[in-house]
Amino acid sequence: MLQNKNDQYPDTLLVIGGVNVNEVRTYIDKTNIPKILVSYDSIYKLVECIADKENWRVVVDEFQYILQDSSFKSEVEVKFLKYLKEFPYVTYLSATPILDRYLEQIDFFSNMNYYHLVWGNKEVVKVYRERTNNPISAAIEIVRAYQKGNFPSVFLDGKTYYSKECVIYLNSVSNIINIIKQTELSPEDVNIIVGSSEDNDKSIAKLGDGFQRGRIPLKGEIHKMITFCTSTAFAGCDFYSTCASTFVISDCKKINTSIDISTDLVQIAGRQRLNCNPFRKYLTFIYNVNKEEIDDETFQNYLNKKVSLTTKEVEANNNEKDSLLKAKRIKDCLREQKMLQYQDSYTMYDKILGEFIFNKLAYISEQYAYELQKYNYKNGLIIKKQLSENNFDVTENQGYGVYREQLKHIVKTETFVDRMAQYCEYKSKGLCFDMVSFTLEQKYPELKYYYEELGGDRIKALGYKEKELKNEISIRHSTAKIHYELNKIFKSNMEFTTEKIKELMNEVYLKLGIDKKGKASDLEKLYGFRIHPCKIPLDNGDRKNGYRIIGI
């Protein structure tokens, strides 16, 4: 977010890793009204170089991440809040603030004035919800659809608009790498926007030449067909695509990839900034449900034991008299904070205080993650309720009904019967649903083949079952071949005995590999010949029953 804002407003100073205190001082000295964009990790540089902080104003934008990110880097948030105490004017700002019940547990925010702005003229974002057992597979299907040119579209004011770009929000670098590998995306077609870290850069580089961590294009710059974003771009960033659709992938079985409906999803919905993009107010949310849920009592017991262990651990570590042993405990604690991310306890070593402390932010964050997975993702009804409460539109909209149907078939894996039935229904509705039919044809080419061969009514009569459709087509094709061969043998006004007709038909069946016995009556019943009974004279003067071919 900071990088994106700095790109758009070059008169600001971006203070992140790699920027030193002298650069900050130089900028402040040469600038009439300094505007500094600083990350949580680099706030100490401002504290160090700004002696008189009286007239400085600090705005902590998207401050809900103080809690959300505490599951994996709460020590950064703890230090950040301490540094902010040195500034007399600090505003914590968010369009999607931390829920009150969590905010009230954070002592730092006690006794602060709280302002709630009521907005009028709100834009409503339509959310298309798709629950699936495997959200990552759905993401792969989305990419493959775009690779095939199977772009979702809307028909507005007499014109069809195609979404030839998409942004996929997925909070897992490893999953993004996996999707790119499986779909064989080229560097020219994908923009990978993830956090700036050596590990991320190494992972991306393993994809091959040309792959690297990307940045958000500015207004007027070229956008790639596929853009992947992790949480580094969930909030505050400005995207200026003219045609991008937005997909949010939430894997509830992994805490760090689970998208919070009440915060992250609301943030993501506002990323596309251009009014000319007809897809900017529509978002596809693909999620699963964690089957390995625990009940509230079990979770509370787990928390109580962890809190008790932390209290004892903090006390024992701070009271340790052996300097070598204490140094080892400090080293172990710092390592566990980074590697285990407070899985075993909430014990944290505070380098500023020089002592072990109870990390309450990590404790609150774990409660928050539990509630998110248990309640927000429990089922589709709760998903819909939560989205509605956050000013999303989850009702149907006729103008975008075709767009929604296309998205549904792009992201879902349906049974053959379901997709065949849907395809026949779309074909029966005519021109307005041609784009949905095309979407299905691109993903399942056999649907068009069956429809053209048999027609909607016959397919329906066969129950939309693929085995029945194949059998019907096989019979029709076989009949056509038999008819062709018989036409070469049985001509108008020719006469054949019944035995001779059977013999000739058996030869045709044998030639075509069809297990069937010839019957004279089948010429008329099955193959359309017009025949009439007659007596056929034999060489010995006898006459035998037979048929005259009247017509074909």
Side-chain angles (χ1 to χ4, degrees):
M1 179 179 73
L2 295 177
Q3 182 69 62
N4 180 239
K5 298 301 183 184
N6 180 243
D7 288 343
Q8 296 180 77
Y9 304 97
D11 61 326
T12 59
L13 176 68
L14 179 62
V15 181
I16 54 177
V19 177
N20 60 49
V21 173
N22 289 332
E23 292 176 80
V24 178
R25 287 197 180 102
T26 299
Y27 171 78
I28 293 173
D29 292 342
K30 292 184 176 181
T31 308
N32 183 30
I33 302 178
K35 301 182 184 72
I36 301 174
L37 299 166
V38 60
S39 66
Y40 288 8
D41 309 69
S42 294
I43 188 72
Y44 72 91
K45 300 172 186 177
L46 299 190
V47 174
E48 183 177 337
C49 72
I50 301 174
D52 183 5
K53 303 177 180 63
E54 184 64 29
N55 292 319
W56 284 81
R57 300 292 189 272
V58 179
V59 176
V60 183
D61 198 11
E62 311 297 355
F63 88 98
Q64 74 274 7
Y65 284 102
I66 291 174
L67 176 60
Q68 284 182 253
D69 291 352
S70 290
S71 64
F72 61 92
K73 64 183 186 76
S74 54
E75 60 276 6
V76 174
E77 272 78 4
V78 170
K79 286 190 287 187
F80 175 67
L81 293 176
K82 287 182 179 178
Y83 282 127
L84 289 180
K85 289 182 178 179
E86 299 189 28
F87 292 89
Y89 298 99
V90 183
T91 300
Y92 298 87
L93 181 67
S94 175
T96 54
I98 300 171
L99 297 177
D100 288 352
R101 61 180 172 277
Y102 298 113
L103 196 62
E104 290 167 357
Q105 295 183 59
I106 304 174
D107 296 336
F108 184 87
F109 294 109
S110 62
N111 301 319
M112 281 191 185
N113 291 329
Y114 187 101
Y115 298 92
H116 182 193
L117 279 67
V118 179
W119 294 90
N121 251 353
K122 291 182 290 188
E123 287 189 329
V124 177
V125 174
K126 172 176 279 295
V127 177
Y128 297 146
R129 301 169 295 112
E130 289 296 345
R131 176 175 166 177
T132 174
N133 291 330
N134 194 335
I136 306 306
S137 293
I140 290 172
E141 290 302 317
I142 293 166
V143 173
R144 285 176 175 161
Y146 274 78
Q147 287 176 310
K148 294 176 182 177
N150 191 8
F151 306 121
S153 62
V154 292
F155 187 76
L156 299 172
D157 301 323
K159 183 178 179 180
T160 300
Y161 297 86
Y162 292 92
S163 174
K164 295 185 178 182
E165 298 164 9
C166 74
V167 182
I168 301 174
Y169 292 87
L170 172 61
N171 198 23
S172 169
V173 177
S174 60
N175 279 337
I176 291 172
I177 300 298
N178 180 45
I179 293 168
I180 293 172
K181 285 181 179 178
Q182 289 202 46
T183 57
E184 299 181 345
L185 276 168
S186 68
E188 293 74 28
D189 288 332
V190 63
N191 188 9
I192 308 169
I193 301 174
V194 299
S196 175
S197 74
E198 186 177 344
D199 287 344
N200 286 345
D201 289 343
K202 286 181 179 178
S203 296
I204 295 170
K206 288 179 182 178
L207 287 168
D209 293 339
F211 286 98
Q212 60 184 356
R213 180 165 45 85
R215 68 170 183 83
I216 300 170
L218 301 179
K219 187 184 294 186
E221 292 182 345
I222 295 174
H223 291 65
K224 294 186 179 181
M225 180 174 69
I226 308 291
T227 297
F228 286 105
C229 296
T230 59
S231 59
T232 192
F234 282 2
C237 298
D238 302 316
F239 287 81
Y240 295 102
S241 170
T242 59
C243 63
S245 289
T246 299
F247 298 90
V248 181
I249 311 297
S250 178
D251 187 354
C252 195
K253 295 175 183 177
K254 295 181 180 179
I255 290 178
N256 68 307
T257 63
S258 179
I259 307 298
D260 178 11
I261 299 169
S262 62
T263 53
D264 286 340
L265 198 61
V266 178
Q267 286 287 344
I268 291 168
R271 294 310 100 224
Q272 293 295 338
R273 301 299 199 185
L274 292 182
N275 283 322
C276 65
N277 180 356
F279 308 97
R280 66 185 291 264
K281 296 181 182 179
Y282 295 82
L283 180 154
T284 302
F285 179 49
I286 303 165
Y287 65 99
N288 61 3
V289 178
N290 192 349
K291 295 179 180 178
E292 299 176 1
E293 293 180 345
I294 60 174
D295 56 50
D296 292 346
E297 183 178 356
T298 303
F299 179 71
Q300 191 58 53
N301 289 336
Y302 156 80
L303 280 183
N304 293 340
K305 290 178 181 178
K306 197 168 175 181
V307 168
S308 177
L309 175 63
T310 301
T311 303
K312 294 175 183 177
E313 187 176 37
V314 167
E315 182 179 0
N317 287 350
N318 284 331
N319 291 335
E320 179 56 57
K321 302 302 181 183
D322 188 317
S323 59
L324 290 178
L325 182 54
K326 188 165 186 176
K328 183 183 184 302
R329 289 184 177 181
I330 291 172
K331 185 178 180 180
D332 289 344
C333 185
L334 292 174
R335 186 187 300 117
E336 288 175 4
Q337 286 172 202
K338 182 178 181 180
M339 301 300 295
L340 299 181
Q341 299 174 357
Y342 302 98
Q343 289 181 16
D344 297 332
S345 75
Y346 305 112
T347 302
M348 169 186 162
Y349 183 74
D350 190 322
K351 293 180 181 179
I352 298 177
L353 294 176
E355 63 182 28
F356 293 89
I357 65 170
F358 180 104
N359 189 334
K360 195 169 184 180
L361 279 180
Y363 167 67
I364 298 170
S365 180
E366 189 161 12
Q367 295 177 62
Y368 176 74
Y370 167 77
E371 182 168 342
L372 165 64
Q373 290 201 10
K374 182 169 180 62
Y375 297 106
N376 284 357
Y377 290 85
K378 193 171 183 181
N379 57 53
L381 293 175
I382 293 179
I383 294 288
K384 184 168 184 176
K385 180 176 182 291
Q386 293 285 340
L387 294 176
S388 299
E389 289 173 354
N390 285 286
N391 298 316
F392 286 94
D393 180 5
V394 292
T395 58
E396 288 300 324
N397 182 299
Q398 289 185 347
Y400 280 78
V402 173
Y403 176 60
R404 187 235 182 279
E405 289 296 304
Q406 292 173 76
L407 294 176
K408 179 178 73 174
H409 295 301
I410 286 173
V411 304
K412 288 186 71 174
T413 301
E414 303 159 300
T415 65
F416 178 85
V417 169
D418 287 340
R419 57 181 178 258
M420 190 74 252
Q422 286 278 281
Y423 184 78
C424 291
E425 182 181 349
Y426 296 141
K427 296 296 285 187
S428 70
K429 289 183 177 179
L431 185 63
C432 63
F433 277 83
D434 277 355
M435 290 309 301
V436 190
S437 301
F438 179 75
T439 296
L440 275 169
E441 289 169 6
Q442 290 294 100
K443 193 171 181 180
Y444 308 106
E446 66 274 11
L447 299 181
K448 182 179 180 181
Y449 167 72
Y450 289 132
Y451 189 84
E452 290 179 346
E453 286 285 330
L454 302 175
D457 291 340
R458 185 56 184 160
I459 291 173
K460 182 179 180 181
L462 294 168
Y464 306 104
K465 297 176 182 177
E466 188 171 23
K467 182 178 179 181
E468 299 297 329
L469 302 186
K470 285 181 177 179
N471 187 55
E472 178 78 5
I473 289 175
S474 176
I475 292 172
R476 290 192 179 192
H477 285 186
S478 296
T479 301
K481 291 177 183 178
I482 294 169
H483 195 277
Y484 174 76
E485 294 294 332
L486 294 177
N487 272 342
K488 292 191 295 184
I489 299 170
F490 299 103
K491 307 292 185 181
S492 293
N493 297 317
M494 294 179 68
E495 294 181 347
F496 300 89
T497 64
T498 303
E499 287 79 5
K500 188 64 176 178
I501 291 174
K502 291 179 181 179
E503 178 186 334
L504 292 171
M505 289 182 72
N506 284 337
E507 288 177 3
V508 169
Y509 290 150
L510 181 64
K511 177 181 178 181
L512 297 177
I514 297 170
D515 184 14
K516 193 172 183 178
K517 297 294 183 182
K519 291 174 60 177
S521 59
D522 283 350
L523 281 177
E524 189 166 58
K525 291 180 180 178
L526 300 181
Y527 307 119
F529 288 85
R530 291 168 55 215
I531 58 177
H532 193 274
C534 66
K535 294 289 185 179
I536 309 295
L538 303 178
D539 292 340
N540 61 8
D542 292 338
R543 299 172 70 86
K544 271 199 166 186
N545 291 332
Y547 291 93
R548 178 184 295 114
I549 310 300
I550 299 174
I552 301 172

